[in-house]
Amino acid sequence: MKKRKTLGLLINEIDASYQMYLWILIKQAAEELDCNLIVLEGRTLRTDNYADRQHHIIYNFVDKERIDGLIIAGGAIANYITDEEFKQFCKKYRNIPIVSLGIVLQNAINLISDNKEGMRSLVRHLVEDHRYKKIIFVTGPDNNLDSIERFEAYKEVLEEKDISFDKTLVYNGDFSPHIGYTLMEEIILSNVEYDAIIFANDDMALGAIKCIKKMEETGRYVLNKKCIICGFDDSLNSSKVDPPLTTVRQPFKEMCYKAVEILVNGTFSENKEEIIVFPSVLVKRESCGCNYKNTEKAAADNSVRLVSNFRIHENIQTYMMGELFDKLTSTLKYCYVESCFVFKYVEGPIFYDGEMVFDESFTVPLNSEMLYAYYKGERKPVDESNRFIKTTRILSDDLIPNDSRFIFFVEPLFFINEHFGFICFEVIDSDVVMFETIRGQISNTLKGALMLLERERMEESLRENERLASLGQLIGGISHNLMTPIMSIAGVSTALEDLINEYGDSIGDSSVTIEDHYEIKAEMEGWVKKLKDYNAYMSNVISTVKAQAVQLNSQSNNDFTVDELGNRINFLKNSDITIKKADLKLFIEADKSIVINGDISNIVQIIDNLIKNAIQAYENKELRECRVELYIRKSENMIIIMVKDYGKGIPEEIGFRLFKYMVTTKGKNGTGLSLLLSYSTIKGKFGGDIWFESDENQGTIFYIAIPVS
């Protein structure tokens, strides 16, 4: 079976009457000639609108591996740049067959409308048939070839009809409805005398008609004569407004069909650099003063939309990635979207300047990762077979239909100038206006979601750094404190060596008495006992460190609630014989459903240590007299755990060293490890903090602060 060709369409936008008509006609031609179409909507080059310039990046998604030929709507894309700048822009496509609409390019087939003759016929009609002489002309952008030709035609007919050219009747426009509205308001308020106004395109003329209606409705302008307005293009809305617009019809249908036909039927090579000129035709309607019976109902829009854009915005409001795609699925169903795919750049976001579109060396990020797939009306899982693609391929091959045509619409995802990916829609009808609303909302939501993910990564990195720092501090503290027994063991070894040498010398020496032998034996036993004490101390430290360091280094990160923590403390209270006999009171003064992220066993171990330390703070008292109060409270986004005793307190001279070194108030019965390890665990595992307040002989309060999940 012959492979179906895939064409690319570069167009500035589709939400305007001229471009909407162009896009629909090319779509119809692609359907009739059985080819695929990928639409890249990149806005008008060098537009003053900053956000529009960010859309230029999509013009770099053209890849000859995916696209067999390219249709460039140059007349629309290049409104604000010179022909030379447009040619520079097109250099990146030199290896792909190109059909250019409206601007002549080298190595392309160029389809041109005869602008001059069309405008001449319009101006002659106003002069000859309606006897108008004071004709205002509103130009298009200065560098635009269509605008230049139409203005020249206007001047040529004035000269032909012996009408003096009046510069004061010429206004500079830019082809946008907004400037048409603004200039019409200026003309009305300045009381300029005129018979008729010619706008260099329909969009400006339609903006002017809207201005007149608005001023009449608000009472700012009383129409005391028929306002004669004409346009150029015969776009979709020109026959639907009131009054219907007199204009010049460009042969869009013929041009669009021809563009697709050339690229599909393989006649490009033999006709390369050919310029095909299509005649334009005057269309007489009511706005110039002609009698015209409008059989079409007046409309304010260019399509019947099934979905209101504001509902799209409301239905995708979230900053959670998973929730975004759940909501997007229902929204796409609601909007009758056939398929939709969301990608992010693997290399991460890039910052884009609209001028990069003219830089031939600029390329979009090489690879992209599919985050979301909605295919033929259903959400589909993303797996390793289609997750990663070369960006300019747009989709993985398994999502490209082989047995049917497809039309894809591709737009960038960005926030201000930070670009993080793109979105691809499959088109099944001509109502694609809602795509921009969906794209914009996904961009905003993704920005928020990616910011949250980045914050989580930063927090995790900080926690990891804190954990490593805590481990380093722990190791440093242990090393410092183990140095004393190690040096002592070295001293014992030297002493034992001296005794062994002394005993060896005594063998056979008649002067050495039995009492001397017993004395040497007693000294050896004393040194051996010291070795055992040092060994026990070191074994205790090492076993404790090993158990706690394993916990600190563990990747376990389960959630637990305040209620679960309370239950574990109560279990500890009832099962540990020391704690059970003491007077422990638990006060939970926080919502028990609050969730904390981390390993509950770690925090219970720390609380266990603090409770036992608190009990031991009571000297020479029965366990039942050892009162310990444990509070769990919430403060802002933190859970605060307080362990309070009324014991002897912590001396000021060791208090500042408590979390940094292995210091203890228990004498030889303590190692000072528990607080050092508790500090490391709270900081490293929970991203929290631990501190204390103490007054000698009045008691101590230890505080633990842990972030709420």
Side-chain angles (χ1 to χ4, degrees), residues 411-434:
E411 294 187 288
L413 296 174
F414 63 90
F415 188 87
I416 306 179
N417 68 332
E418 182 183 0
H419 288 247
F420 30 82
F422 66 95
I423 186 168
C424 175
F425 296 97
E426 184 176 7
V427 179
I428 55 172
D429 57 37
S430 300
D431 184 14
V432 296
V433 175
M434 91 284 279

Side-chain angles (χ1 to χ4, degrees), residues 663-677:
V663 296
T664 179
T665 59
K666 304 174 190 175
K668 65 179 183 179
N669 295 319
T671 63
L673 261 176
S674 65
L675 288 179
L676 182 60
L677 289 168

Side-chain angles (χ1 to χ4, degrees), residues 428-705:
I428 55 172
D429 57 37
S430 300
D431 184 14
V432 296
V433 175
M434 91 284 279
F435 288 174
E436 171 55 25
T437 305
I438 295 174
R439 182 213 67 79
Q441 187 59 30
I442 290 175
S443 287
N444 292 341
T445 301
L446 269 180
K447 172 61 177 177
L450 291 172
M451 283 178 66
L452 289 176
L453 287 175
E454 181 62 24
R455 189 179 75 176
E456 288 175 8
R457 282 194 291 269
M458 289 176 66
E459 289 175 350
E460 180 60 32
S461 176
L462 288 172
R463 284 195 294 270
E464 178 66 11
N465 290 338
E466 189 70 60
R467 185 182 70 82
L468 293 173
S470 299
L471 281 172
Q473 183 175 326
L474 173 63
I475 292 168
I478 292 169
S479 299
H480 176 79
N481 283 273
L482 287 182
M483 189 57 66
T484 298
I486 289 171
M487 294 298 293
S488 299
I489 289 171
V492 170
S493 299
T494 302
L496 282 172
E497 282 181 353
D498 291 342
L499 283 173
I500 291 168
N501 292 332
E502 181 182 346
Y503 187 77
D505 292 339
S506 70
I507 297 173
D509 188 342
S510 59
S511 66
V512 178
T513 65
I514 292 176
E515 288 75 13
D516 291 333
H517 286 291
Y518 279 114
E519 185 180 340
I520 294 171
K521 174 180 177 292
E523 285 188 51
M524 285 185 176
E525 287 174 341
W527 288 120
V528 168
K529 183 179 182 303
K530 288 184 179 181
L531 279 177
K532 288 181 178 178
D533 290 342
Y534 295 145
N535 182 64
Y537 175 83
M538 293 175 66
S539 296
N540 186 19
V541 169
I542 291 169
S543 61
T544 304
V545 169
K546 181 178 179 182
Q548 300 256 7
V550 166
Q551 286 188 348
L552 184 57
N553 203 39
S554 167
Q555 295 303 312
S556 173
N557 210 31
N558 300 319
D559 291 340
F560 62 92
T561 64
V562 168
D563 188 45
E564 289 172 315
L565 179 59
N567 291 336
R568 289 288 294 271
I569 293 171
N570 281 322
F571 178 79
L572 193 66
K573 178 181 176 182
N574 295 322
S575 60
D576 188 291
I577 189 165
T578 301
I579 297 175
K580 186 175 182 179
K581 289 182 178 181
D583 182 16
L584 173 65
K585 304 295 184 186
L586 173 62
F587 304 94
I588 300 179
E589 301 171 357
D591 184 347
K592 292 185 177 182
S593 65
I594 291 174
V595 176
I596 302 167
N597 183 255
D599 190 335
I600 192 171
S601 297
N602 289 165
I603 201 71
V604 170
Q605 178 64 55
I606 292 169
I607 292 172
D608 178 48
N609 290 336
L610 292 177
I611 293 172
K612 288 178 179 174
N613 286 347
I615 292 170
Q616 292 171 356
Y618 293 91
E619 291 182 324
N620 304 317
K621 285 193 176 184
E622 297 290 332
L623 282 174
R624 66 176 180 274
E625 298 179 273
C626 299
R627 178 175 176 81
V628 180
E629 296 170 1
L630 198 158
Y631 298 86
I632 300 177
R633 296 171 176 168
K634 184 173 186 298
S635 176
E636 297 182 348
N637 64 336
M638 306 291 282
I639 285 293
I640 308 296
I641 301 169
M642 299 166 53
V643 179
K644 182 176 182 179
D645 68 65
Y646 299 89
K648 64 181 180 180
I650 299 173
E652 188 175 343
E653 62 268 18
I654 69 169
F656 74 95
R657 302 166 58 209
L658 210 56
F659 297 123
K660 298 181 180 180
Y661 305 101
M662 290 166 61
V663 296
T664 179
T665 59
K666 304 174 190 175
K668 65 179 183 179
N669 295 319
T671 63
L673 261 176
S674 65
L675 288 179
L676 182 60
L677 289 168
S678 297
Y679 177 86
S680 300
T681 302
I682 291 298
K683 299 286 279 188
K685 288 289 286 183
F686 291 90
D689 203 1
I690 181 170
W691 69 97
F692 73 93
E693 296 173 357
S694 184
D695 291 317
E696 282 199 67
N697 300 316
Q698 294 187 36
T700 302
I701 305 174
F702 275 89
Y703 298 87
I704 299 172

